[in-house]
Amino acid sequence: MSLIALCFTFFYIGLFTIGGGVVAITLMQQTIVARGLISPEQFFNMVAISESTPGPIGINMATYIGYNLYGIPGGILASVFEAMPSVIIILIIARFLQKFHENPFVKGSLAFLRPVTTGLILVPVVQVFTFALMNIPQDWSVLLTLNGWKGLFDWICLAFYGVCTFLLLKFKAHPIIIIVLGAIFGVLYF
């Protein structure tokens, strides 16, 4: 894929992910991974890095993928083209918002988009959870045995996930602490 094609790919992704960067993860995976530009493992590593760095995840992913493929110019251009549709659409909406604010079609469209956006956010959550905490066998018949089920989960990662969730919910641990703990765990465990 050329740099120009990459820019238009991110423009397309940005155009259809106005709801937020997390929604972009599914579309990026279908677009970037399906074309073979990066492997699924690289993609989920990029998701983890993008989630842990400041800023919108969609822009972080675009920057990281663009940089990974074409260096600094690729990172900058992919980021700009990812953000461009949102900027254009927001400028258009701001111009006409007062006129259409009470329009029943606009209200109905927004009511329809809420559950769709929720579903689009749920898909990458499940995919990252499955990728990070499960050992999916190539041969599913292995799961028919008791030992096959024991090996389905990475129990150490699952336990660490449980501890981090407990720290977040019970003690309201700051997310930076969880990110640092995750980085330390990743370095020591892998």
Side-chain angles (χ1 to χ4, degrees), residues 150-163:
K150 288 179 184 176
L152 182 61
F153 290 98
D154 185 337
W155 294 104
I156 295 172
C157 287
L158 192 60
F160 181 74
Y161 172 79
V163 168

Side-chain angles (χ1 to χ4, degrees), residues 7-157:
C7 290
F8 284 111
T9 299
F10 277 105
F11 186 85
Y12 163 77
I13 291 168
L15 185 62
F16 290 102
T17 57
I18 301 300
V22 177
V23 177
I25 294 173
T26 303
L27 190 56
M28 281 186 194
Q29 181 184 16
Q30 292 173 347
T31 307
I32 304 296
V33 176
R35 292 185 181 176
L37 296 175
I38 59 174
S39 70
E41 184 176 353
Q42 287 174 310
F43 180 79
F44 287 116
N45 288 337
M46 288 179 187
V47 169
I49 291 169
S50 296
E51 281 280 356
S52 62
T53 54
I57 187 170
I59 300 296
N60 291 346
M61 289 284 293
T63 304
Y64 193 59
I65 292 170
Y67 178 79
N68 204 25
L69 296 175
Y70 292 102
I72 292 173
I76 292 170
L77 288 173
S79 300
V80 167
F81 275 81
E82 163 76 19
M84 195 180 303
S86 297
V87 172
I88 293 169
I89 290 171
I90 293 300
L91 290 174
I92 292 169
I93 289 172
R95 172 91 168 107
F96 298 106
L97 182 63
Q98 293 303 320
K99 185 176 180 180
F100 293 108
H101 182 65
E102 295 299 320
N103 186 320
F105 293 112
V106 172
K107 285 183 175 182
S109 297
L110 293 175
F112 172 75
L113 287 175
R114 285 185 200 112
V116 171
T117 304
T118 303
L120 287 172
I121 291 170
L122 186 61
V123 168
V125 167
V126 170
Q127 289 175 335
V128 168
F129 181 86
T130 303
F131 183 79
L133 301 176
M134 296 181 73
N135 300 315
I136 306 291
Q138 294 288 353
D139 181 13
W140 283 88
S141 64
V142 171
L143 295 178
L144 297 176
T145 66
L146 184 58
N147 288 335
W149 283 100
K150 288 179 184 176
L152 182 61
F153 290 98
D154 185 337
W155 294 104
I156 295 172
C157 287

